[in-house]
Coordinates of all heavy atoms in Angstrom, one line a residue:
M15 N -87.3 -21.4 33.7 CA -85.9 -21.0 33.4 C -85.8 -19.8 32.6 O -84.9 -18.9 32.9 CB -85.2 -22.2 32.8 CG -83.7 -22.0 32.5 SD -82.9 -22.1 34.1 CE -81.3 -22.3 33.6
L16 N -86.6 -19.6 31.6 CA -86.6 -18.5 30.8 C -87.0 -17.2 31.6 O -86.5 -16.1 31.4 CB -87.6 -18.6 29.6 CG -87.6 -17.6 28.6 CD1 -86.2 -17.3 28.0 CD2 -88.6 -17.9 27.5
N17 N -88.0 -17.4 32.5 CA -88.4 -16.2 33.3 C -87.3 -15.7 34.2 O -87.1 -14.5 34.4 CB -89.6 -16.6 34.2 CG -90.9 -16.7 33.3 OD1 -90.9 -16.1 32.2 ND2 -91.9 -17.4 33.8
V18 N -86.5 -16.6 34.8 CA -85.4 -16.2 35.6 C -84.3 -15.5 34.8 O -83.8 -14.5 35.2 CB -84.8 -17.5 36.3 CG1 -83.5 -17.1 37.1 CG2 -85.8 -18.2 37.2
L19 N -84.0 -16.0 33.7 CA -83.0 -15.4 32.8 C -83.5 -14.0 32.3 O -82.7 -13.1 32.4 CB -82.7 -16.3 31.6 CG -81.7 -15.8 30.6 CD1 -80.4 -15.6 31.3 CD2 -81.6 -16.7 29.4
S20 N -84.7 -13.9 31.9 CA -85.2 -12.6 31.5 C -85.3 -11.6 32.6 O -85.0 -10.4 32.4 CB -86.6 -12.8 30.8 OG -87.6 -13.2 31.7
A21 N -85.6 -12.1 33.8 CA -85.6 -11.2 35.0 C -84.2 -10.7 35.3 O -84.0 -9.5 35.6 CB -86.2 -11.9 36.2
K22 N -83.2 -11.5 35.1 CA -81.8 -11.1 35.4 C -81.4 -10.1 34.3 O -80.6 -9.1 34.6 CB -80.9 -12.3 35.4 CG -81.1 -13.1 36.7 CD -80.1 -14.3 36.7 CE -80.3 -15.1 38.0 NZ -79.3 -16.1 38.1
V23 N -81.8 -10.3 33.1 CA -81.4 -9.4 32.0 C -82.1 -8.0 32.2 O -81.4 -7.0 32.0 CB -81.8 -10.0 30.6 CG1 -81.7 -9.0 29.5 CG2 -81.0 -11.2 30.3
V24 N -83.3 -8.0 32.6 CA -84.0 -6.8 32.8 C -83.4 -6.0 34.0 O -83.2 -4.8 34.0 CB -85.5 -7.0 33.1 CG1 -86.2 -5.8 33.6 CG2 -86.2 -7.5 31.8
A25 N -83.1 -6.8 35.1 CA -82.4 -6.1 36.3 C -81.1 -5.6 35.9 O -80.7 -4.5 36.3 CB -82.3 -7.2 37.4
G26 N -80.3 -6.3 35.1 CA -79.0 -5.8 34.7 C -79.1 -4.5 33.8 O -78.4 -3.6 33.9
A27 N -80.1 -4.5 32.9 CA -80.3 -3.4 32.0 C -80.7 -2.1 32.8 O -80.3 -1.0 32.6 CB -81.4 -3.7 31.0
L28 N -81.6 -2.4 33.8 CA -82.0 -1.2 34.7 C -80.8 -0.7 35.5 O -80.7 0.5 35.6 CB -83.2 -1.7 35.6 CG -84.5 -1.9 34.9 CD1 -85.5 -2.5 35.9 CD2 -85.0 -0.6 34.3
S29 N -80.0 -1.6 36.0 CA -78.8 -1.2 36.8 C -77.9 -0.4 35.9 O -77.4 0.7 36.3 CB -78.1 -2.4 37.3 OG -78.9 -3.1 38.2
L30 N -77.7 -0.8 34.7 CA -76.8 -0.1 33.8 C -77.4 1.2 33.4 O -76.7 2.2 33.3 CB -76.6 -1.0 32.5 CG -75.6 -0.4 31.5 CD1 -74.2 -0.3 32.1 CD2 -75.5 -1.3 30.3
G31 N -78.7 1.3 33.3 CA -79.3 2.5 33.0 C -79.2 3.6 34.1 O -79.2 4.8 33.8
I32 N -79.1 3.1 35.3 CA -79.0 4.0 36.4 C -77.5 4.4 36.6 O -77.2 5.6 36.9 CB -79.5 3.4 37.7 CG1 -81.0 3.2 37.6 CG2 -79.2 4.2 39.0 CD1 -81.7 2.4 38.7
L33 N -76.6 3.4 36.5 CA -75.2 3.7 36.8 C -74.4 4.4 35.7 O -73.5 5.2 36.0 CB -74.5 2.4 37.2 CG -74.9 1.7 38.4 CD1 -74.2 0.3 38.6 CD2 -74.7 2.5 39.6
A34 N -74.7 4.2 34.5 CA -74.0 4.7 33.4 C -74.1 6.3 33.4 O -73.0 6.9 33.3 CB -74.5 4.2 32.1
P35 N -75.3 6.9 33.5 CA -75.3 8.4 33.6 C -74.5 9.0 34.8 O -73.9 10.0 34.7 CB -76.8 8.7 33.7 CG -77.5 7.5 33.1 CD -76.6 6.4 33.5
A36 N -74.6 8.3 35.9 CA -73.9 8.8 37.1 C -72.4 8.7 36.9 O -71.6 9.7 37.2 CB -74.3 7.9 38.3
A37 N -71.9 7.6 36.3 CA -70.5 7.5 36.0 C -70.0 8.5 34.9 O -68.9 9.2 35.1 CB -70.1 6.1 35.5
Y38 N -70.8 8.8 33.9 CA -70.5 9.8 32.9 C -70.5 11.2 33.5 O -69.5 11.9 33.2 CB -71.6 9.7 31.8 CG -71.4 10.8 30.8 CD1 -70.3 10.7 29.8 CD2 -72.1 12.0 30.7 CE1 -70.1 11.7 28.9 CE2 -71.9 12.9 29.8 CZ -70.9 12.8 28.9 OH -70.7 13.8 28.0
T39 N -71.4 11.5 34.4 CA -71.4 12.8 35.0 C -70.2 13.0 35.9 O -69.6 14.1 35.9 CB -72.7 13.0 35.9 OG1 -73.8 12.8 35.0 CG2 -72.8 14.3 36.5
A40 N -69.8 12.0 36.6 CA -68.7 12.1 37.5 C -67.4 12.3 36.7 O -66.5 13.0 37.2 CB -68.5 10.8 38.4
T41 N -67.3 11.7 35.5 CA -66.0 11.9 34.8 C -66.0 13.2 34.0 O -64.9 13.6 33.6 CB -65.8 10.7 33.8 OG1 -66.9 10.6 32.9 CG2 -65.6 9.4 34.6
T42 N -67.1 13.8 33.7 CA -67.1 15.0 32.9 C -67.3 16.3 33.7 O -67.3 17.3 33.1 CB -68.2 14.9 31.8 OG1 -69.5 14.8 32.5 CG2 -68.0 13.8 30.9
Q43 N -67.4 16.2 35.0 CA -67.6 17.4 35.8 C -66.3 18.2 35.8 O -65.2 17.7 35.8 CB -67.8 17.0 37.3 CG -69.2 17.3 37.7 CD -69.4 16.9 39.1 OE1 -68.6 16.3 39.8 NE2 -70.6 17.2 39.7
D44 N -66.5 19.5 35.7 CA -65.4 20.5 35.7 C -65.0 20.8 37.2 O -65.8 21.3 37.9 CB -65.8 21.8 35.0 CG -64.7 22.7 34.9 OD1 -63.5 22.3 35.0 OD2 -64.9 23.9 34.7
T45 N -63.8 20.4 37.5 CA -63.3 20.6 38.9 C -62.6 21.9 39.1 O -62.0 22.1 40.2 CB -62.5 19.4 39.4 OG1 -61.4 19.3 38.5 CG2 -63.3 18.1 39.3
A46 N -62.5 22.7 38.1 CA -61.7 24.0 38.2 C -62.3 24.9 39.2 O -61.5 25.7 39.8 CB -61.6 24.6 36.8
D47 N -63.6 24.9 39.4 CA -64.2 25.9 40.4 C -64.2 25.4 41.8 O -64.6 26.0 42.7 CB -65.6 26.2 39.9 CG -66.5 25.0 39.8 OD1 -66.0 23.9 39.8 OD2 -67.7 25.2 39.8
Q48 N -63.7 24.1 42.0 CA -63.7 23.6 43.4 C -62.4 24.1 44.1 O -61.4 24.2 43.4 CB -63.7 22.1 43.3 CG -65.1 21.6 42.8 CD -65.1 20.1 42.7 OE1 -64.1 19.4 42.9 NE2 -66.2 19.5 42.4
P49 N -62.5 24.3 45.4 CA -61.3 24.7 46.1 C -60.2 23.7 46.1 O -60.4 22.5 46.2 CB -61.8 25.0 47.5 CG -63.0 24.2 47.7 CD -63.6 24.1 46.3
Q50 N -59.0 24.2 46.0 CA -57.8 23.3 46.0 C -57.2 23.1 47.4 O -57.3 24.1 48.1 CB -56.7 23.8 45.0 CG -57.2 24.0 43.6 CD -57.6 22.7 42.9 OE1 -56.9 21.7 43.1 NE2 -58.7 22.6 42.2
V51 N -56.7 22.0 47.7 CA -56.1 21.8 49.0 C -54.7 22.4 49.0 O -53.9 22.2 48.1 CB -56.0 20.2 49.2 CG1 -55.3 20.0 50.6 CG2 -57.3 19.6 49.2
E52 N -54.4 23.2 50.0 CA -53.1 23.9 50.1 C -52.1 22.9 50.7 O -52.5 22.1 51.6 CB -53.2 25.1 51.0 CG -54.0 26.2 50.4 CD -53.9 27.5 51.2 OE1 -52.9 27.6 52.0 OE2 -54.8 28.3 51.1
E53 N -50.9 23.0 50.3 CA -49.8 22.2 50.9 C -49.5 22.8 52.3 O -49.6 24.0 52.5 CB -48.6 22.2 50.0 CG -48.8 21.5 48.7 CD -47.5 21.4 47.9 OE1 -46.4 21.5 48.5 OE2 -47.6 21.2 46.7
K54 N -49.1 22.0 53.2 CA -48.7 22.4 54.5 C -47.4 23.2 54.4 O -46.4 22.8 53.7 CB -48.5 21.2 55.4 CG -48.4 21.5 56.9 CD -48.4 20.3 57.7 CE -48.4 20.6 59.1 NZ -48.5 19.4 60.0
Q55 N -47.4 24.4 55.1 CA -46.2 25.2 55.1 C -45.0 24.6 55.9 O -45.2 24.0 56.9 CB -46.5 26.6 55.7 CG -47.4 27.4 54.9 CD -47.7 28.7 55.6 OE1 -47.7 28.8 56.8 NE2 -48.0 29.8 54.9
Q56 N -43.8 24.8 55.3 CA -42.6 24.3 56.0 C -42.1 25.5 56.8 O -41.8 26.5 56.2 CB -41.6 23.8 55.0 CG -42.1 22.6 54.2 CD -42.4 21.4 55.1 OE1 -41.7 21.2 56.1 NE2 -43.4 20.7 54.7
L57 N -42.0 25.4 58.1 CA -41.5 26.5 59.0 C -40.2 26.1 59.6 O -39.9 25.0 59.9 CB -42.5 26.7 60.1 CG -44.0 27.0 59.7 CD1 -44.9 27.1 60.9 CD2 -44.1 28.2 58.8
D58 N -39.3 27.2 59.7 CA -38.1 27.0 60.4 C -38.3 27.0 61.9 O -39.4 27.2 62.4 CB -37.0 28.1 60.0 CG -37.5 29.5 60.4 OD1 -38.6 29.6 60.8 OD2 -36.7 30.4 60.2
E59 N -37.3 26.6 62.7 CA -37.4 26.4 64.1 C -37.8 27.8 64.8 O -38.6 27.7 65.8 CB -36.1 25.9 64.7 CG -35.8 24.5 64.3 CD -36.9 23.5 64.7 OE1 -37.4 23.6 65.8 OE2 -37.2 22.6 63.9
E60 N -37.2 28.9 64.4 CA -37.5 30.1 65.0 C -39.0 30.5 64.8 O -39.7 30.9 65.8 CB -36.7 31.2 64.4 CG -36.9 32.6 65.0 CD -36.1 33.7 64.4 OE1 -35.1 33.4 63.6 OE2 -36.3 34.9 64.6
T61 N -39.5 30.3 63.6 CA -40.9 30.6 63.4 C -41.8 29.6 64.1 O -42.9 30.0 64.6 CB -41.2 30.5 61.9 OG1 -40.3 31.3 61.2 CG2 -42.6 30.9 61.5
K62 N -41.4 28.3 64.2 CA -42.2 27.4 65.0 C -42.3 27.8 66.5 O -43.4 27.7 67.1 CB -41.6 26.0 64.9 CG -41.8 25.3 63.6 CD -41.2 23.9 63.6 CE -41.4 23.3 62.2 NZ -40.8 21.9 62.2
S63 N -41.2 28.3 67.0 CA -41.2 28.7 68.4 C -42.1 29.9 68.6 O -42.9 30.0 69.6 CB -39.8 29.0 68.9 OG -39.3 30.1 68.3
K64 N -42.1 30.8 67.7 CA -43.0 32.0 67.7 C -44.4 31.6 67.6 O -45.3 32.1 68.3 CB -42.6 33.0 66.6 CG -41.3 33.7 66.9 CD -41.0 34.7 65.8 CE -39.7 35.4 66.0 NZ -39.4 36.4 65.0
L65 N -44.7 30.6 66.8 CA -46.0 30.1 66.6 C -46.5 29.4 67.9 O -47.7 29.6 68.3 CB -46.1 29.1 65.4 CG -47.4 28.4 65.1 CD1 -48.5 29.4 64.7 CD2 -47.3 27.4 64.0
D66 N -45.7 28.6 68.5 CA -46.1 28.0 69.8 C -46.3 29.1 70.9 O -47.2 28.9 71.7 CB -44.9 27.1 70.3 CG -44.8 25.8 69.4 OD1 -45.9 25.5 68.8 OD2 -43.8 25.2 69.4
E67 N -45.5 30.2 70.8 CA -45.7 31.3 71.8 C -47.1 31.9 71.6 O -47.9 32.2 72.5 CB -44.6 32.3 71.6 CG -44.7 33.5 72.6 CD -43.6 34.4 72.3 OE1 -42.4 34.0 72.0 OE2 -43.8 35.7 72.4
I68 N -47.5 32.1 70.3 CA -48.8 32.7 70.0 C -49.9 31.8 70.4 O -50.9 32.3 71.0 CB -48.9 33.1 68.5 CG1 -47.9 34.2 68.1 CG2 -50.3 33.5 68.1 CD1 -47.7 34.4 66.6
K69 N -49.7 30.5 70.2 CA -50.8 29.5 70.6 C -51.0 29.6 72.1 O -52.1 29.6 72.6 CB -50.3 28.1 70.2 CG -50.5 27.7 68.8 CD -50.0 26.3 68.6 CE -50.0 25.9 67.2 NZ -49.6 24.5 67.0
G70 N -49.9 29.7 72.8 CA -49.9 29.7 74.3 C -50.6 31.0 74.8 O -51.4 31.0 75.7
Q71 N -50.4 32.1 74.1 CA -51.0 33.4 74.5 C -52.5 33.3 74.2 O -53.3 33.8 75.0 CB -50.4 34.5 73.7 CG -49.0 34.9 74.1 CD -48.3 35.9 73.2 OE1 -48.9 36.3 72.2 NE2 -47.2 36.4 73.6
V72 N -52.9 32.7 73.2 CA -54.4 32.6 72.9 C -55.0 31.6 73.9 O -56.1 31.9 74.4 CB -54.6 32.0 71.4 CG1 -56.1 31.7 71.2 CG2 -54.1 33.1 70.4
E73 N -54.3 30.5 74.2 CA -54.9 29.6 75.2 C -55.0 30.2 76.6 O -55.9 30.0 77.3 CB -54.0 28.3 75.3 CG -54.2 27.5 74.0 CD -53.2 26.3 74.0 OE1 -52.3 26.2 74.9 OE2 -53.2 25.6 73.0
D74 N -54.0 31.1 77.0 CA -54.0 31.8 78.3 C -55.1 32.9 78.3 O -55.4 33.4 79.3 CB -52.7 32.4 78.6 CG -51.6 31.3 78.8 OD1 -52.0 30.1 79.0 OD2 -50.4 31.6 78.7
G75 N -55.5 33.4 77.1 CA -56.4 34.5 77.0 C -55.7 35.8 77.0 O -56.3 36.9 77.2
T76 N -54.4 35.8 76.9 CA -53.6 37.1 76.8 C -53.9 37.9 75.6 O -54.0 39.1 75.6 CB -52.1 36.7 76.8 OG1 -51.8 35.9 77.9 CG2 -51.3 38.0 77.0
I77 N -54.1 37.2 74.4 CA -54.5 37.8 73.2 C -55.7 37.2 72.6 O -56.0 36.0 72.9 CB -53.3 37.8 72.2 CG1 -52.9 36.4 71.8 CG2 -52.1 38.6 72.7 CD1 -51.9 36.3 70.6
T78 N -56.4 37.9 71.7 CA -57.6 37.3 71.1 C -57.2 36.6 69.8 O -56.1 36.7 69.4 CB -58.6 38.4 70.7 OG1 -58.0 39.3 69.8 CG2 -59.0 39.3 71.9
R79 N -58.1 35.9 69.3 CA -57.9 35.2 68.0 C -57.6 36.1 66.9 O -56.7 35.8 66.1 CB -59.1 34.3 67.7 CG -59.4 33.2 68.7 CD -60.7 32.5 68.3 NE -60.3 31.4 67.5 CZ -61.1 30.4 67.1 NH1 -62.4 30.5 67.3 NH2 -60.7 29.4 66.3
D80 N -58.2 37.3 66.9 CA -58.0 38.3 65.8 C -56.5 38.8 65.9 O -55.9 39.0 64.9 CB -59.0 39.4 65.9 CG -60.4 39.0 65.5 OD1 -60.5 38.0 64.7 OD2 -61.3 39.6 66.0
E81 N -56.1 39.0 67.2 CA -54.7 39.5 67.4 C -53.7 38.4 67.0 O -52.7 38.7 66.4 CB -54.5 39.9 68.8 CG -55.2 41.1 69.3 CD -55.2 41.4 70.8 OE1 -55.0 40.4 71.5 OE2 -55.3 42.5 71.2
A82 N -54.1 37.1 67.2 CA -53.2 36.0 66.8 C -53.1 36.0 65.3 O -52.0 35.7 64.7 CB -53.8 34.7 67.4
K83 N -54.3 36.2 64.6 CA -54.2 36.2 63.1 C -53.3 37.3 62.6 O -52.6 37.1 61.6 CB -55.7 36.4 62.6 CG -56.6 35.2 62.7 CD -57.9 35.5 62.2 CE -58.9 34.4 62.4 NZ -60.3 34.7 61.9
E84 N -53.4 38.5 63.2 CA -52.5 39.6 62.8 C -51.0 39.2 63.0 O -50.2 39.5 62.2 CB -52.8 40.8 63.6 CG -54.2 41.4 63.2 CD -54.5 42.6 64.1 OE1 -53.6 43.1 64.8 OE2 -55.7 43.0 64.1
K85 N -50.7 38.6 64.2 CA -49.3 38.2 64.4 C -48.8 37.1 63.4 O -47.7 37.2 63.0 CB -49.2 37.7 65.9 CG -49.2 38.8 66.9 CD -48.9 38.2 68.3 CE -48.9 39.4 69.3 NZ -48.4 38.9 70.6
L86 N -49.7 36.2 63.1 CA -49.4 35.2 62.1 C -49.1 35.8 60.8 O -48.2 35.4 60.0 CB -50.5 34.1 62.0 CG -50.7 33.2 63.2 CD1 -51.8 32.3 63.0 CD2 -49.4 32.4 63.5
H87 N -49.9 36.8 60.4 CA -49.8 37.5 59.1 C -48.4 38.2 59.1 O -47.7 38.2 58.1 CB -50.9 38.5 58.9 CG -50.8 39.2 57.6 ND1 -51.0 38.5 56.4 CD2 -50.6 40.5 57.3 CE1 -50.9 39.4 55.4 NE2 -50.6 40.6 55.9
E88 N -48.0 38.8 60.2 CA -46.7 39.5 60.3 C -45.6 38.5 60.1 O -44.5 38.9 59.6 CB -46.6 40.2 61.7 CG -47.5 41.4 61.8 CD -47.5 42.0 63.2 OE1 -46.7 41.5 64.1 OE2 -48.3 42.9 63.5
L89 N -45.8 37.3 60.6 CA -44.7 36.3 60.5 C -44.7 35.6 59.1 O -43.8 34.9 58.8 CB -44.9 35.1 61.5 CG -44.7 35.5 63.0 CD1 -45.0 34.4 63.9 CD2 -43.2 35.9 63.2
G90 N -45.8 35.9 58.3 CA -45.8 35.3 57.0 C -46.4 34.0 57.0 O -46.2 33.2 56.0
I91 N -47.2 33.6 58.0 CA -47.8 32.3 58.1 C -49.3 32.5 57.7 O -50.0 33.3 58.2 CB -47.8 31.8 59.6 CG1 -46.3 31.6 60.0 CG2 -48.5 30.5 59.7 CD1 -46.2 31.2 61.4
R92 N -49.7 31.6 56.7 CA -51.1 31.6 56.3 C -51.8 30.6 57.2 O -51.6 29.4 57.2 CB -51.2 31.1 54.9 CG -50.6 32.1 53.9 CD -50.8 31.5 52.5 NE -50.5 30.1 52.3 CZ -49.3 29.6 52.1 NH1 -48.3 30.3 51.9 NH2 -49.2 28.3 51.9
P93 N -52.7 31.1 58.1 CA -53.5 30.2 58.9 C -54.4 29.4 58.1 O -54.9 29.8 57.1 CB -54.3 31.2 59.9 CG -54.3 32.5 59.2 CD -53.1 32.5 58.3
P94 N -54.6 28.1 58.6 CA -55.5 27.2 57.8 C -56.9 27.7 58.0 O -57.3 28.5 58.9 CB -55.3 25.9 58.6 CG -54.8 26.2 59.9 CD -54.0 27.5 59.7
G95 N -57.8 27.3 57.1 CA -59.2 27.7 57.0 C -59.8 28.5 58.1 O -59.9 29.7 58.1
R96 N -60.2 27.8 59.2 CA -60.8 28.5 60.3 C -59.8 28.5 61.5 O -60.3 28.6 62.7 CB -62.1 27.8 60.7 CG -63.1 27.9 59.6 CD -64.4 27.2 60.0 NE -64.1 25.9 60.6 CZ -64.9 24.9 60.8 NH1 -66.1 25.1 60.4 NH2 -64.6 23.8 61.3
M97 N -58.6 28.2 61.3 CA -57.6 28.2 62.4 C -57.9 27.1 63.4 O -57.6 27.2 64.5 CB -57.4 29.5 63.1 CG -56.9 30.6 62.2 SD -56.6 32.2 62.9 CE -55.6 31.8 64.3
V98 N -58.4 26.0 62.9 CA -58.8 24.9 63.8 C -57.5 24.3 64.4 O -57.5 23.9 65.5 CB -59.5 23.8 63.0 CG1 -59.7 22.5 63.8 CG2 -60.8 24.3 62.5
V99 N -56.4 24.2 63.6 CA -55.2 23.6 64.1 C -54.5 24.5 65.1 O -54.0 24.1 66.1 CB -54.2 23.4 62.9 CG1 -52.9 22.9 63.4 CG2 -54.8 22.4 61.9
L100 N -54.6 25.8 64.9 CA -53.9 26.8 65.7 C -54.7 26.9 67.1 O -54.1 26.9 68.1 CB -53.9 28.2 65.1 CG -53.3 29.3 65.9 CD1 -51.8 29.0 66.3 CD2 -53.4 30.6 65.3
L101 N -56.0 27.0 67.0 CA -56.7 27.3 68.3 C -57.5 26.1 68.7 O -58.4 25.7 68.2 CB -57.6 28.5 68.1 CG -56.7 29.7 67.6 CD1 -57.7 30.9 67.3 CD2 -55.7 30.1 68.6

């Protein structure tokens, strides 16, 4: 009985020794240098229709992705990271 109890105490102590530094590191990490998530832009109906038009032109091959980026910039739309949503 004593061996079982001592084995459990040793296992608990070892687990605590492994988990405590990891928890401490996670709570003290500086997150200021990590990229922040941008909020989704709210667009009016006219801008949404122009955005849909640009999407269609890219899908048809009428304009390139770079030209689409320029048009979005002219409209004041910040494209997401790699334009995954747009294209």
Side-chain angles (χ1 to χ4, degrees):
M15 184 73 164
L16 185 59
N17 286 339
V18 173
L19 181 61
S20 63
K22 288 183 179 182
V23 169
V24 169
L28 289 174
S29 298
L30 184 61
I32 292 171
L33 294 178
Y38 175 76
T39 303
T41 58
T42 59
Q43 250 181 353
D44 185 19
T45 58
D47 59 343
Q48 295 178 353
Q50 301 296 319
V51 177
E52 290 186 26
E53 291 184 24
K54 193 172 184 176
Q55 291 179 330
Q56 299 297 324
L57 305 175
D58 60 355
E59 292 300 320
E60 181 182 349
T61 307
K62 285 181 184 180
S63 65
K64 289 180 182 180
L65 179 61
D66 289 337
E67 182 180 322
I68 293 171
K69 284 181 185 181
Q71 290 175 350
V72 172
E73 289 171 359
D74 295 344
T76 309
I77 62 173
T78 64
R79 295 177 93 175
D80 291 332
E81 292 171 333
K83 287 180 187 179
E84 290 174 14
K85 286 187 176 189
L86 291 176
H87 182 69
E88 290 172 5
L89 290 174
I91 300 174
R92 295 180 317 270
R96 297 180 313 200
M97 293 183 56
V98 174
V99 175
L100 177 64
L101 306 174

